Amino acid sequence: MVFDGKQTQVVDDLEVRDPGPGEVQVAIAAAGLCHSDLSVVDGTIPFPVPVVLGHEGAGVVEAVGVGVTHVQPGDHVSLSTLANCGACAQCDRGRPTMCRKAIGRPAQPFTRDGRPVYQFASNSAFAERTLVKAVQAVRIPKDIPMACAALIGCGVLTGVGAVLNRARVDHGESVVVIGTGGIGLNVIQGARIAGALKIVAVDANPAKEATARQFGATHFLPSTEGVKDILPTGADHAFECVGRVELIRQAIDLLDRHGQAVLLGVPPATAEASFLVSSMYLDKSILGCRYGSSRPQRDIALYAELYREGRLLLDELVTQTYPVEDFEKAAADAHAGRVARAVLTF
């Protein structure tokens, strides 16, 4: 699935080079369609083109480069987007999301008609075969369906990770989740796993209530206006999962003393949000969060086990699967909020 700056199209003449030292070639079986992919298409996320989209994938290892020992051909893997170096100070401190090499230097492992094609998010899961750094390939049990395994690599890592790793929600605390798409649902179930007492889901689409409650929401509202009726003193944690500056402001305004607003939605790169400075002196915090502050080799394996134990919902996230040729239909369904997660299959 190649985006040339104007349109997306399925092509059958893409070539991917063999893995070099420290690299892994993966045959993709399934890939989730995330709003970050759509944000490249609509220009919200600037990215060089032509580019192979996709960054939430799972598949089977086909080949490994020199020095790769933790996976081998035939292993099932879920892919992360973090092509971190593993050797800098941030990696050494257990913060791979802060590695400067992970934050972006777009590679070009693909060619088409002899011309290089960019890789999106160091991943490019919308292709039958892709090439990743060894650190991005995390072995998973073979009994986990590929469509479910794919979603661990972005939506689950981001949403559940934001709760457990960044906000560190504790037992008995209160959580407000604004937006119940793929990320929001994973924030909700992350809060449930963490032991939050009240989990208020907010979404303008009433059709999302049943799914939000299935994932762990104790309350559902069409807007933030009713939150104070449920949480009179405010929320311990508010997660903005849409990417609109007015909702960021609402998340901040909903906080109790010592509350945290965690920003997960992606507004345009130049967007600015405002807040009352005086309200922050009650030990409130506004937290950015990249990729759930995750450590993928640890977290993907953990979430896979939580799924096998029935504590983490993955099957329920896969609303519908589409052959890659139906990308436009999948994108339209995602835009319209008709799916929790659309999954492309190869």
Side-chain angles (χ1 to χ4, degrees):
M1 176 58 60
V2 176
F3 175 60
D4 64 6
K6 297 181 180 179
Q7 63 179 355
T8 57
Q9 59 179 323
V10 177
V11 303
D12 60 7
D13 56 352
L14 192 73
E15 297 182 6
V16 59
R17 64 174 173 80
D18 293 333
E23 295 179 332
V24 178
Q25 187 180 89
V26 178
I28 298 293
L33 175 57
C34 177
H35 279 280
S36 294
D37 301 305
L38 301 177
S39 293
V40 174
V41 176
D42 67 21
T44 301
I45 297 179
F47 205 87
V49 294
V51 58
V52 179
L53 295 174
H55 64 284
E56 188 179 65
V60 180
V61 175
E62 282 202 333
V64 300
V66 173
V68 178
T69 59
H70 75 290
V71 293
Q72 59 186 359
D75 283 346
H76 288 200
V77 291
S78 178
L79 302 182
S80 85
T81 69
L82 287 184
N84 57 296
C85 72
C88 68
Q90 295 292 350
C91 286
D92 190 53
R93 296 173 71 181
R95 297 175 181 170
T97 59
M98 294 297 101
C99 174
R100 282 175 170 77
K101 290 188 177 180
I103 289 176
R105 287 173 185 164
Q108 296 173 306
F110 305 104
T111 55
R112 186 179 180 222
D113 295 330
R115 290 173 292 185
V117 178
Y118 284 100
Q119 184 174 41
F120 179 55
S122 303
N123 192 308
S124 289
F126 292 170
E128 289 181 288
R129 289 176 180 81
T130 193
L131 197 68
V132 297
K133 289 186 67 173
V135 71
Q136 296 175 255
V138 184
R139 188 171 61 248
I140 56 172
K142 292 184 178 181
D143 60 355
I144 297 181
M146 284 294 188
C148 295
L151 302 187
I152 299 177
C154 178
V156 176
L157 275 180
T158 300
V160 178
V163 174
L164 303 183
N165 300 330
R166 187 66 169 128
R168 300 193 177 184
V169 173
D170 203 355
H171 286 275
E173 292 189 320
S174 59
V175 172
V176 174
V177 183
I178 302 175
T180 61
I183 299 300
L185 289 175
N186 280 297
V187 171
I188 290 170
Q189 70 170 333
R192 170 178 51 78
I193 291 169
L197 183 61
K198 291 185 178 180
I199 305 171
V200 182
V202 178
D203 200 295
N205 185 351
K208 293 186 175 184
E209 179 173 0
T211 303
R213 289 186 180 276
Q214 181 183 24
F215 275 71
T218 59
H219 300 77
F220 185 92
L221 297 171
S223 73
T224 59
E225 290 182 6
V227 171
K228 287 295 180 72
D229 294 331
I230 300 167
L231 303 173
T233 62
D236 295 310
H237 308 273
F239 295 81
E240 200 282 338
C241 305
V242 180
R244 288 168 47 187
V245 293
E246 67 271 25
L247 296 180
I248 291 173
R249 172 59 184 268
Q250 290 174 30
I252 296 167
D253 289 346
L254 287 172
L255 296 178
D256 195 358
R257 300 182 179 201
H258 207 272
Q260 299 180 131
V262 183
L263 311 186
L264 296 176
V266 182
T270 58
E272 297 183 1
S274 64
F275 61 92
L276 290 174
V277 176
S278 60
S279 71
M280 303 304 293
Y281 294 114
L282 293 171
D283 284 4
K284 299 180 184 181
S285 304
I286 302 171
L287 304 180
C289 184
R290 182 170 193 264
Y291 204 40
S293 301
S294 62
R295 296 163 64 182
Q297 286 288 339
R298 178 199 66 176
D299 291 347
I300 289 176
L302 169 63
Y303 300 155
E305 285 305 311
L306 288 174
Y307 166 74
R308 296 174 86 193
E309 292 178 4
R311 297 172 61 190
L312 183 79
L313 305 182
L314 293 180
D315 302 272
E316 296 80 359
L317 281 172
V318 184
T319 311
Q320 188 170 338
T321 60
Y322 307 76
V324 68
E325 292 82 6
D326 287 347
F327 173 83
E328 294 297 338
K329 183 178 187 305
D333 287 347
H335 268 305
R338 289 189 287 266
V339 292
R341 215 39 152 208
V343 177
L344 302 180
T345 57
F346 293 83

